[in-house]
Amino acid sequence: MVAARTSSEEAAPGSTPGPERPAAARTARSLPFLAGALLASWLVPTVLIPTGLGIVLLPLLVLAVASVIRVGGVLLDRLVAAALIVAGGVLVTGLLFSLWPWGLDPVPTSGALFSIVALTGWLGRRAPRLPLRFRPSDLMVLGAGYVMWHYLHKPLVGKGPGWRLEFLTTSEDRLNHFSYFVGIEHVGGYNFLHQEAAKAYMMSGEGVYPQGSHFLLAWVDSLVRSSADLGSTLDTMNRYLLYVLAAYALLGVALVWAARWIGGPRLRGWRTAAVCGTVAALVFSSNYTDLVTHGFDSTVIGLLMVAVLTAFLVRPALRTPEFLLLAGSGLIAVTYVYNLFGAVAGVAVVATLVVHRRRFRLSRWPLYALLAVVALGLAALPSVVSVLSDLDVAGTSNLGGPSVGADRTILVGGLLLALLAAAAPTNRRTGTGRAHLALVLGAGLVICGFAWWQMHTIGHVSYYFEKLAGTGVVIALVSIGAVGPLLRTTSPARVPVLRRRIGDGVLSVVAVATALSLFAGVQWGMESFKAGPTAWSQNSLTAWSRGDSWSDIGPRDGATVMADLDGISEPMMVLYSNDDYKNLKSTWVTALLRGRGGDMRALYEAHWVNIGAEPRKEAEHQAALAHVKKAAEKLGGPMTVVVADPATGDLLRKELTGFQPRITVVAKPGNNWIHPWNRSFPGD
């Protein structure tokens, strides 16, 4: 009975979806209506894309989906639900796009997606309808995204495409992600469905690495360009960087919105401001901006999907079709983008279905079972392909590497706070409270179980534990929304509405200011102790905004070697530094700029080549030379080595004379370089 009361207890004001008006339902189900909708589905992309306005199709698609679902009582809530459905839909239909002859051409892909929406609305007798209602806290949700975008984009302002490579190349992980992204655009679909063709564009992982984020970005990129053609690789790199920054800003928006959604209709007034302000402050001050610096692009988008899915599982849509659609779309989106997070998402979906099992009609269980099998099969497909290829699941799960640690204070303290809120008598009597409790316990069990397994097998937690623990941080942050309604408040009945609203507005401002001071270190102009830097100025978001995270890969402009060496068609190893990691990144960027990412399967040997900028001791030089030769042998054909130091270049030519496959050595003396602040690049 408790679960059955959820709909009437927890619908936001104005959100309870009433029955479709008979006249509107009849119109929506008429054949002329369907014919017109299908015609518009293809006519609109055909008109917009040739004029270069393909990107307009993205918000139009979200609005189209939002108009035929019945979730939430305010426009922002409906749009978030629609965006999750679009993400899951694009990833699933991407399987078709990968196999049909048009690839990611924006006209047929967008036409097909609009047609699916039109047909679904017709079958469901859903006349297009949007809730044109807003909440004042919408400004806080969107404002969090604006603040994050301001700081993320700040170091790029005024810089041309060549300069911005400094921020694209902060880690080799992003170079790998970019290669998956361009691989999808080149082969016209998922790399795991075109593995042989994709090998030309990436170093490895075409059959095993989750590619959902790259596919989503590739499809969006085709709309941005209004074309399936990539254009200049340098421009493509810059667009990709902007997409990654936008995704992280959207993660902030999703976390703040999800906390508000979980709070439900009882979260009103200054309590909403306190919840949204607290979550925003914790996001601003979080070390998770380092995910951007470290190039963990799929992790960022995966956590974004987890945040939105979590919200709709804790406080699900009132109608069963939307409930199932959001759960299925969210599960697919999470597993396609980052399949490790699918463990938490899967447990969360199952727990929510169990809690809300009474809302499903017993007579329809065969249909629900069929839908569950289809959704699970689609969600698991990329992971199954990975396991059936050459992926060593156990070995990969224990890999080490540079990590962005999950904040233990938020992870442990936040989940305990979430457990407390979910178990509070006020909450645990509702379906939302029980779903929240099941989610927190299930996620905690998965995260702790993975930690135990790593401790049992390798004696410590490593790289992928920190990734998985990120889902715990997300759940902890959005669970703050469940705490807000516990802050009981009453207003005297005789207080005039205007005075009550003014008072609530003042309290909201104070609540947000308090949250920013306590959790983000904002000091509102007050000096720190002994004039030291404020906590706000030391967080990773502001560090990025100052440009502290730019990538030094040789000379600062070494990544633009392509502009200096036009005409060389063979693989290139670029040695602009005596730091082997910088040489690796310089070599990798050069390969990507020249559309030869697959060369890195052999040229990854540059990771152990620490010569090129100045002479080294004989033993170090010979060790590096052995890796240069090994790269040529792996390539099985001629290659070019570019060095910054002429003396090193002369020595390499002498030592490589007669070596097969042939290695050509080119020296670009450092005194010929112009300081990057005074240099122009192609496309600037």
Side-chain angles (χ1 to χ4, degrees):
M1 293 298 294
V2 172
R5 292 201 308 267
T6 302
S7 297
S8 61
E9 290 177 339
E10 300 177 22
S15 69
T16 304
E20 299 287 333
R21 296 183 180 90
R26 285 195 299 270
T27 301
R29 191 64 189 271
S30 69
L31 289 175
F33 179 86
L34 175 62
L38 291 175
L39 177 62
S41 297
W42 290 91
L43 183 60
V44 172
T46 303
V47 170
L48 289 179
I49 288 171
T51 61
L53 297 175
I55 188 57
V56 177
L57 294 171
L58 183 57
L60 287 179
L61 181 61
V62 173
L63 285 170
V65 173
S67 70
V68 297
I69 61 175
R70 303 294 182 253
V71 179
V74 297
L75 182 60
L76 182 59
D77 296 343
R78 182 74 62 85
L79 293 177
V80 172
L84 181 62
I85 293 170
V86 168
V90 169
L91 292 170
V92 168
T93 53
L95 299 170
L96 171 64
F97 301 159
S98 301
L99 300 176
W100 72 7
W102 303 285
L104 295 185
D105 188 297
V107 172
T109 57
S110 54
L113 290 167
F114 277 110
S115 297
I116 293 172
V117 176
L119 186 60
T120 302
W122 181 75
L123 291 173
R125 301 189 182 191
R126 299 289 183 85
R129 192 173 72 191
L130 286 171
L132 299 181
R133 297 185 182 91
F134 306 91
R135 292 180 64 178
S137 55
D138 289 350
L139 296 176
M140 294 190 63
V141 174
L142 299 176
Y146 170 78
V147 171
M148 293 189 70
W149 176 255
H150 169 75
Y151 283 98
L152 291 166
H153 188 251
K154 185 177 179 181
L156 308 182
V157 174
K159 295 181 174 64
W163 296 75
R164 295 183 180 193
L165 290 184
E166 297 176 346
F167 294 92
L168 177 88
T169 57
T170 50
S171 75
E172 66 177 285
D173 279 69
R174 175 156 302 120
L175 302 180
N176 232 337
H177 287 302
F178 179 76
S179 72
Y180 300 146
F181 167 79
V182 294
I184 287 171
E185 299 215 45
H186 278 295
V187 304
Y190 285 111
N191 294 311
F192 70 84
L193 296 177
H194 299 277
Q195 295 186 30
E196 286 305 315
K199 286 180 180 179
Y201 307 105
M202 60 192 67
M203 184 182 76
S204 62
E206 64 279 349
V208 299
Y209 196 86
Q211 298 159 20
S213 61
H214 315 101
F215 189 91
L216 281 174
L217 296 183
W219 179 72
V220 169
D221 191 50
S222 73
L223 298 181
V224 170
R225 291 175 289 104
S226 295
S227 171
D229 179 71
L230 274 169
S232 163
T233 306
L234 186 61
D235 290 338
T236 303
M237 284 184 167
N238 279 268
R239 292 195 306 272
Y240 179 80
L241 176 60
L242 293 177
Y243 298 153
V244 170
L245 299 183
Y248 188 65
L250 287 175
L251 173 59
V253 172
L255 290 167
V256 177
W257 172 85
R260 188 187 75 172
W261 174 266
I262 287 176
R266 293 178 295 156
L267 185 64
R268 315 299 287 178
W270 68 268
R271 295 177 300 166
T272 307
V275 165
C276 293
T278 297
V279 176
L282 290 169
V283 173
F284 296 157
S285 61
S286 168
N287 66 325
Y288 267 13
T289 305
D290 291 339
L291 293 173
V292 178
T293 304
H294 282 20
F296 296 159
D297 304 344
S298 290
T299 303
V300 169
I301 300 177
L303 293 177
L304 166 60
M305 299 300 176
V306 170
V308 180
L309 174 61
T310 296
F312 286 120
L313 291 179
V314 171
R315 195 163 76 88
L318 299 182
R319 293 192 175 189
T320 300
E322 279 83 357
F323 179 23
L324 296 175
L325 181 59
L326 284 166
S329 297
L331 181 61
I332 288 170
V334 170
T335 53
Y336 275 50
V337 170
Y338 209 81
N339 51 13
L340 178 65
F341 298 164
V344 171
V347 168
V349 169
V350 171
T352 303
L353 292 175
V354 171
V355 169
H356 294 288
R357 63 190 180 279
R358 294 183 181 178
R359 69 159 56 195
F360 303 116
R361 296 179 185 176
L362 186 61
S363 61
R364 294 188 177 181
W365 268 106
L367 174 61
Y368 298 145
L370 176 61
L371 293 175
V373 169
V374 172
L376 289 173
L378 289 172
L381 180 60
S383 299
V384 170
V385 172
S386 298
V387 172
L388 294 179
S389 59
D390 57 354
L391 178 65
D392 177 5
V393 177
T396 301
S397 299
N398 286 330
L399 286 177
S403 302
V404 177
D407 188 309
R408 275 17 180 205
T409 300
I410 297 177
L411 177 64
V412 179
L415 287 178
L416 288 174
L417 181 63
L419 188 63
L420 178 65
T426 304
N427 288 333
R428 71 168 180 262
R429 289 194 295 266
T430 67
T432 291
R434 292 185 175 185
H436 189 197
L437 182 61
L439 172 69
V440 172
L441 292 175
L445 182 63
V446 172
I447 294 170
C448 291
F450 189 73
W452 174 87
W453 185 76
Q454 286 200 328
M455 292 293 294
H456 180 71
T457 54
I458 59 176
H460 59 88
V461 295
S462 64
Y463 179 81
Y464 280 111
F465 169 79
E466 300 298 341
K467 294 291 189 77
L468 185 63
T471 61
V473 172
V474 165
I475 292 171
L477 287 172
V478 302
S479 294
I480 292 174
V483 179
L486 301 179
L487 305 173
R488 293 288 184 178
T489 181
T490 57
S491 297
R494 296 182 180 179
V495 174
V497 174
L498 180 60
R499 185 192 301 178
R500 187 165 63 246
R501 289 182 175 177
I502 291 174
D504 202 59
V506 171
L507 289 176
S508 296
V509 171
V510 174
V512 172
T514 302
L516 290 174
S517 296
L518 286 175
F519 303 115
V522 177
Q523 296 180 337
W524 311 108
M526 183 178 294
E527 291 186 2
S528 297
F529 179 67
K530 295 184 178 179
T534 63
W536 170 259
S537 67
Q538 297 181 78
N539 68 48
S540 58
L541 180 62
T542 56
W544 172 277
S545 73
R546 290 192 299 269
D548 293 354
S549 300
W550 66 276
S551 174
D552 178 9
I553 52 175
R556 196 170 179 185
D557 52 350
T560 61
V561 64
M562 183 181 178
D564 298 328
L565 298 172
D566 291 337
I568 297 178
S569 59
E570 57 197 31
M572 296 168 57
M573 181 180 287
V574 181
L575 309 179
Y576 278 169
S577 172
N578 277 14
D579 183 312
D580 49 9
Y581 189 57
K582 294 176 184 177
N583 285 339
L584 171 68
K585 290 195 291 184
S586 293
T587 300
W588 205 331
V589 171
T590 303
L592 293 173
L593 282 168
R594 301 166 75 235
R596 304 182 58 114
D599 289 345
M600 290 306 300
R601 294 172 185 269
L603 293 178
Y604 199 82
E605 292 295 324
H607 200 350
W608 297 277
V609 180
N610 59 352
I611 58 174
E614 59 186 14
R616 281 280 198 183
K617 295 179 179 179
E618 179 64 16
E620 294 175 338
H621 178 88
Q622 291 302 320
L625 179 62
H627 286 285
V628 173
K629 293 178 178 179
K630 190 174 181 179
E633 291 169 348
K634 286 184 176 181
L635 285 168
M639 80 177 205
T640 296
V641 174
V642 185
V643 297
D645 176 49
T648 301
D650 291 339
L651 182 58
L652 286 175
R653 288 191 198 94
K654 182 178 179 181
E655 293 174 322
L656 294 171
T657 298
F659 181 81
Q660 293 297 324
R662 173 181 54 80
I663 301 177
T664 302
V665 180
V666 177
K668 300 294 293 184
N671 57 12
N672 289 338
W673 284 312
I674 304 172
H675 194 278
W677 299 112
N678 300 314
R679 180 175 181 169
S680 63
F681 298 97
D684 283 12

